[in-house]
Amino acid sequence: MSQLITLSKSSPEFESYLLGTFSQDKRALPVQTLNVNSASETVTFRIVPITSLQRPEFFTVFLQTFKVKSFLLILVPLFLVLTINLADSAPLDPQTTVLATIGVLLAFVSVNLRNDYMDHMKGVDRVLEKSGSRAIQNGWVTAAQVKFYSSVLLALAILCAIPIIIALPDVIWVLGASVAVGLWAQFKKQNSFKYRIGGELALFLMFGPFLTVGYQQAMGILWDAESVALGCLWGWLVLFVVHLKNFANILPSAQAGFTNTINWLGFDKARRLLAFWWVIFVLFNLVYHGAYAGKYWGFYASVVLIFLSFSFIARLKNISSPAGSELQGVYRSGFKLFLTTIGLWVFECLWYLLQ
């Protein structure tokens, strides 16, 4: 049997209900959040026994809580850096390479979990129905548990980094820079990077040049201009997906008072930014291939991406309002471009290895 309770931010029990620590056998499911991210914020919770939750099987809960689908954002650049160096017969260190791969993946999952925890506490995932993993909002896990998992995985990632730093001291500068940006981005409770105009730069650095350069150095190989260029190219593509997602949520985000570059620009300018961002990526990809990879691969991949871009840009041009289902159509079209790009890159790298 369930019951409803409404708590204000000033209530001493407010945080315990958000964290899920108010009871051992019940869950507080957020039903409605008003005046989010303000001193007058109120949340209406549905209190239900844990035994009455409609919880899927463990494997589904695991996949959704840890957002396994998002692993593409980290595994693809690691794969690209690894295969490029293997194809070039670079003398990599297998032990530090394995440790670096495990450590980066653990750190990524930790940041993902911390992000879900912060967005739940901040109110983002309580207001935007399609934001986050939804595991906390559905009551499958508590926010306190997610925070604990994040801390444990971060500690394991640090343990993986220690022997790498001992074996390869030069890697400490990029690791230190990554940690500094990560701490600022994820652990600052107020006005974090996601709620600042231009704050996406943190994601660009973390998923872009810091990742590719650091991973290459952790393999025992000196960083070079190609690893920097690849990181910038991948970071630009990741930000395309971020802007795309923010565009799909532009109306509810604006109504809730969440600020990012897309909301700041407004609907019409945001459409132009997405089109511009993608066109620049296609050109950047062609230049990168001309300088460091196969020119034929760069040409034919660009032809495929340009051909598929017409549909995406047409959707952007024809969308008339930030309300309705058209935004989701734009998101799906843009995400298909992202997946197509990944497919082309992976196939290209496998081709080089076979050669």
Side-chain angles (χ1 to χ4, degrees):
M1 185 176 181
S2 65
Q3 65 180 89
L4 297 177
I5 182 173
T6 299
L7 297 174
S8 66
K9 200 169 190 176
S10 60
S11 171
E13 298 178 313
F14 183 77
E15 186 168 315
S16 67
Y17 274 75
L18 283 179
L19 288 171
T21 56
F22 72 100
S23 173
Q24 295 293 326
D25 57 357
K26 293 180 180 179
R27 289 280 192 271
L29 309 181
V31 176
Q32 185 182 54
T33 300
L34 299 177
N35 303 316
V36 66
N37 197 25
S38 70
S40 58
E41 179 178 357
T42 60
V43 181
T44 300
F45 298 95
R46 176 177 287 109
I47 312 303
V48 299
I50 294 178
T51 54
S52 68
L53 286 172
Q54 294 183 349
R55 189 173 182 173
E57 59 184 13
F58 171 80
F59 188 65
T60 301
V61 173
F62 176 84
L63 291 179
Q64 195 156 329
T65 301
F66 290 88
K67 296 195 287 191
V68 175
K69 290 181 179 179
S70 68
F71 284 16
L72 281 176
L73 296 177
I74 202 75
L75 291 178
V76 170
L78 297 187
F79 173 80
L80 294 177
V81 173
L82 179 62
T83 53
I84 287 172
N85 283 282
L86 287 175
D88 292 341
S89 300
L92 58 86
D93 185 322
Q95 294 179 335
T96 57
T97 299
V98 171
L99 280 175
T101 303
I102 296 173
V104 169
L105 186 58
L106 289 173
F108 173 74
V109 178
S110 172
V111 170
N112 245 351
L113 291 173
R114 182 78 186 187
N115 182 63
D116 271 4
Y117 163 75
M118 292 297 294
D119 280 354
H120 174 73
M121 301 300 290
K122 190 81 173 180
V124 179
D125 290 352
R126 288 183 275 117
V127 174
L128 305 181
E129 296 181 355
K130 295 185 178 181
S131 178
S133 68
R134 314 310 300 169
I136 299 176
Q137 292 73 40
N138 291 333
W140 301 343
V141 293
T142 66
Q145 288 173 330
V146 169
K147 183 181 180 182
F148 173 74
Y149 298 153
S150 174
S151 300
V152 170
L153 292 175
L154 180 60
L156 293 174
I158 293 173
L159 287 177
C160 289
I162 291 174
I164 297 176
I165 294 174
I166 294 174
L168 305 165
D170 288 343
V171 79
I172 194 169
W173 72 270
V174 69
L175 183 62
S178 300
V179 169
V181 173
L183 289 175
W184 173 72
Q186 289 297 327
F187 290 86
K188 191 176 180 181
K189 291 185 178 180
Q190 299 296 329
N191 300 321
S192 71
F193 76 102
K194 296 206 300 182
Y195 315 112
R196 289 177 179 270
I197 298 169
E200 296 88 353
L201 176 63
L203 287 176
F204 173 80
L205 294 173
M206 293 290 289
F207 286 94
F210 284 180
L211 175 62
T212 55
V213 170
Y215 187 57
Q216 181 158 303
Q217 284 195 292
M219 291 191 298
I221 305 168
L222 292 177
W223 68 277
D224 53 19
E226 182 177 0
S227 63
V228 176
L230 177 61
C232 291
L233 183 61
W234 178 255
W236 191 270
L237 183 60
V238 169
L239 285 199
F240 170 73
V241 177
V242 171
H243 288 321
L244 191 65
K245 187 174 182 180
N246 288 339
F247 184 70
N249 290 318
I250 188 171
L251 184 59
S253 293
Q255 291 173 340
F258 299 129
T259 303
N260 53 50
T261 301
I262 292 295
N263 283 347
W264 174 71
L265 287 173
F267 177 69
D268 288 329
K269 290 182 179 178
R271 289 192 301 172
R272 299 189 187 99
L273 174 68
L274 281 173
F276 166 80
W277 205 274
W278 178 253
V279 170
I280 292 298
F281 168 76
V282 174
L283 294 175
F284 190 7
N285 184 51
L286 182 61
V287 171
Y288 168 80
H289 277 81
Y292 300 109
K295 294 182 180 179
Y296 290 107
W297 272 105
F299 173 76
Y300 288 115
S302 297
V303 168
V304 171
L305 293 179
I306 290 171
F307 177 76
L308 296 176
S309 298
F310 288 118
S311 174
F312 172 68
I313 294 177
R315 282 180 177 271
L316 279 175
K317 184 179 179 181
N318 294 330
I319 189 171
S320 57
S321 168
S325 60
E326 291 178 307
L327 282 173
Q328 292 304 317
V330 169
Y331 177 80
R332 287 192 295 269
S333 179
F335 198 72
K336 285 179 182 177
L337 289 176
F338 171 69
L339 294 178
T340 301
T341 303
I342 289 176
L344 290 171
W345 278 355
V346 170
F347 188 77
E348 177 184 357
C349 285
L350 290 176
W351 175 268
Y352 291 145
L353 285 178
L354 290 175
Q355 291 300 309

